[in-house]
Amino acid sequence: MNGSQTLDAKHVLRPLSPHLPVYKPQLSSTSSISNRISGAFLTANVLAFYMLCLKTGPLCLTFENFYQFLFYSSKLTLVSAELAALAMSYHVYAGVRHLLKDFSGVSLKR
């Protein structure tokens, strides 16, 4: 075997890049992933409420009992509203932090 054939044999089983457990979680990557998750959660909530309004039609905007049923009927909606408020506050905070970091050169130190 010559040198090029041994190099090719060595590179066959080698992975293209390290797998995720090799990397240590960093603050910037963790906050970015959390920001994307909170944005996806907020989008899902808005779409679900919009679809509910489309399904009920004009009843959604005029009928008072609809709102009472939607917001006061179960504890699950209260938990969902609290999670949505938490996700919204985090998403806004992360967005402002991102804008400050990009445009003013401010780096938040650990």
Side-chain angles (χ1 to χ4, degrees):
M1 289 183 139
N2 62 21
S4 66
Q5 288 177 344
T6 58
L7 284 177
D8 290 340
K10 287 181 183 179
H11 290 293
V12 168
L13 299 176
R14 181 179 265 181
L16 296 176
S17 65
H19 196 59
L20 289 176
V22 173
Y23 295 110
K24 243 179 15 176
Q26 299 170 349
L27 181 65
S28 61
S29 64
T30 305
S31 66
S32 174
I33 291 168
S34 300
N35 192 17
R36 290 170 192 246
I37 290 171
S38 67
F41 177 74
L42 290 171
T43 303
N45 276 346
V46 167
L47 284 176
F49 188 73
Y50 181 68
M51 291 300 215
L52 183 65
C53 285
L54 280 178
K55 183 73 174 165
T56 57
L59 179 71
C60 177
L61 301 174
T62 58
F63 196 53
E64 184 177 339
N65 288 335
F66 173 77
Y67 288 111
Q68 288 178 351
F69 170 74
L70 186 64
F71 292 113
Y72 302 113
S73 65
S74 74
K75 296 191 186 295
L76 183 62
T77 55
L78 292 175
V79 170
S80 177
E82 290 172 358
L83 283 176
L86 181 66
M88 183 67 163
S89 62
Y90 178 76
H91 197 69
V92 168
Y93 170 73
V96 169
R97 181 180 156 275
H98 180 71
L99 287 174
L100 283 175
K101 192 174 180 182
D102 281 351
F103 291 120
S104 67
V106 174
S107 178
L108 301 175
K109 296 183 180 181
R110 290 194 251 169

